[in-house]
Amino acid sequence: MVIADDRGRIIMASQQTTTIFGYSRDELIGQTVEILLPPEYREKHIRDRKDYSRRPQTKRMSDRPTLIGRRKDGTEFPAEVNLSPIDTEEGILVCAAVRDVTQRKQMELKLKSTIQTQSTLVSLLKLSLEPLTLEEHLGRILDVLLSIPWIELESKGAILLTEGDPPRLVMKAHRGLSGELLDRCHEVPIGECLCGRAADCREIVFASSLDELHTRRFADMHEHGHYCVPILFEKQLLGVLNLYVRKGHQRTAQEDDFLTAVANLLAGIIKRRTALLMLRQSEERFNLAVSG
């Protein structure tokens, strides 16, 4: 709780205010309320405060997306503020009830990303039922993944499947990759570059930039990062999902869990489509034998 006069000077601050903002009461009393805001918001807040002084009224400000509090140590937090005018003999005072809503915002973001995750997985499940070839399925899956708003993905990615003996990774679907990338990364040996390492260790390999693990490079390659996710069916390696992220992106456990779930779903789709293809080929051979 903060009470300020008509010029915005703080005349009272509760104990909770000092706890939230890190100032002592003596440091706050006499200062304008802009001390509690980031510098870039102060000029606008002064104009808003003057407008409010001319037409004081109870006002809820929680719907303002740019309402940010700033602590003494410079850290910032999302805040909800309710304003109430107090009519006194010395003039109008303004009582501001300030609430740190960091935890609530985090819960809202987590809930939103959970809903988006579930929606994405449902879309992929529906997609798996469509009568498409395996390559068409993989391409459509990339389209869905690259449209996710809560991961800082670039519009680039690929799905590589294992082939041959000894096994190697062969690109079966891609989006947004240049011709040179397609040439260099069409086939990747197990253990080489990021995709090969993910296949070799059978764990997610992440890079926030072009680091030393990114061995397949070419001139003028722009900075980027990667999520390389192994596609496993039980203990069998089926391939790798490769998604590009913006340079400097920070890996999170939530993204790891989501991409692992996608890879597991991919594994089921690949095994199902492979089984259907083998069944169809078996039926064709049987029909040829009967005809013979």
Side-chain angles (χ1 to χ4, degrees):
M1 190 75 69
V2 177
I3 296 179
D5 61 19
D6 58 353
R7 288 183 290 178
R9 293 179 304 181
I10 298 172
I11 61 174
M12 193 208 81
S14 67
Q15 180 61 45
Q16 188 64 17
T17 303
T18 63
T19 301
I20 291 177
F21 287 94
Y23 291 98
S24 67
R25 280 199 181 95
D26 291 340
E27 289 175 312
L28 290 176
I29 301 302
Q31 297 287 340
T32 62
V33 292
E34 281 75 34
I35 193 177
L36 305 178
L37 299 174
E40 62 268 26
Y41 295 116
R42 291 174 184 175
E43 185 175 345
K44 182 178 185 305
H45 188 268
I46 291 173
R47 297 195 300 270
D48 293 343
R49 173 166 54 78
K50 291 178 179 179
D51 290 340
Y52 180 85
S53 297
R54 288 191 288 269
R55 296 181 296 275
Q57 57 181 312
T58 299
K59 187 175 182 182
R60 184 177 177 85
M61 301 172 71
S62 59
D63 58 343
R64 290 175 55 184
T66 57
L67 195 57
I68 303 295
R70 185 177 187 272
R71 301 182 182 92
K72 181 180 178 180
D73 63 6
T75 58
E76 300 177 359
F77 62 93
E80 178 181 285
V81 180
N82 296 334
L83 299 180
S84 299
I86 304 174
D87 195 0
T88 70
E89 294 180 356
E90 298 178 356
I92 296 293
L93 302 180
V94 178
C95 177
V98 184
R99 179 181 298 170
D100 182 348
V101 294
T102 301
Q103 186 175 8
R104 192 184 74 191
K105 292 293 185 182
Q106 290 174 344
M107 291 178 63
E108 289 174 354
L109 288 174
K110 186 175 181 179
L111 177 60
K112 183 178 179 181
S113 64
T114 298
I115 292 172
Q116 291 174 337
T117 297
Q118 292 175 346
S119 175
T120 300
L121 294 177
V122 168
S123 297
L124 295 180
L125 282 170
K126 290 181 178 179
L127 184 60
S128 68
L129 301 176
E130 296 185 13
L132 304 171
T133 66
L134 178 57
E135 286 75 12
E136 289 172 334
H137 266 123
L138 300 181
R140 294 279 295 277
I141 287 169
L142 282 175
D143 292 334
V144 173
L145 293 177
L146 296 178
S147 66
I148 296 173
W150 59 270
I151 303 180
E152 292 181 328
L153 296 176
E154 295 191 352
S155 300
K156 296 180 180 181
I159 297 175
L160 301 91
L161 301 184
T162 55
E163 286 186 3
D165 186 20
R168 66 192 188 285
L169 295 172
V170 179
M171 191 180 299
K172 296 296 183 179
H174 62 86
R175 292 291 185 269
L177 302 186
S178 66
E180 191 159 5
L181 267 174
L182 293 176
D183 290 339
R184 288 178 176 268
C185 300
H186 178 70
E187 292 189 11
V188 179
I190 303 297
E192 184 177 329
C193 206
L194 298 175
C195 289
R197 286 177 177 267
D200 189 34
C201 68
R202 304 196 176 196
E203 295 179 355
I204 294 177
V205 172
F206 173 80
S208 61
S209 62
L210 291 174
D211 58 15
E212 66 279 0
L213 298 180
H214 203 132
T215 57
R216 295 204 164 193
R217 304 192 187 195
F218 56 87
D220 300 324
M221 177 180 282
H222 82 287
E223 284 282 357
H224 62 273
H226 280 289
Y227 268 113
C228 293
V229 189
I231 304 170
L232 304 171
F233 187 82
E234 295 178 348
K235 295 183 179 181
Q236 181 186 4
L237 175 69
L238 301 181
V240 171
L241 168 65
N242 180 352
L243 297 175
Y244 284 61
V245 296
R246 298 175 187 171
K247 178 186 176 183
H249 178 75
Q250 297 298 310
R251 179 180 184 176
T252 68
Q254 183 183 11
E255 292 175 356
D256 276 19
D257 291 343
F258 169 69
L259 293 175
T260 299
V262 169
N264 291 336
L265 184 59
L266 263 171
I269 293 173
I270 293 168
K271 291 296 287 186
R272 178 174 178 270
R273 300 304 303 177
T274 302
L276 288 174
L277 178 61
M278 292 176 64
L279 177 61
R280 187 178 301 114
Q281 291 173 345
S282 177
E283 289 174 345
E284 289 174 354
R285 287 194 298 268
F286 176 78
N287 290 332
L288 287 172
V290 170
S291 298

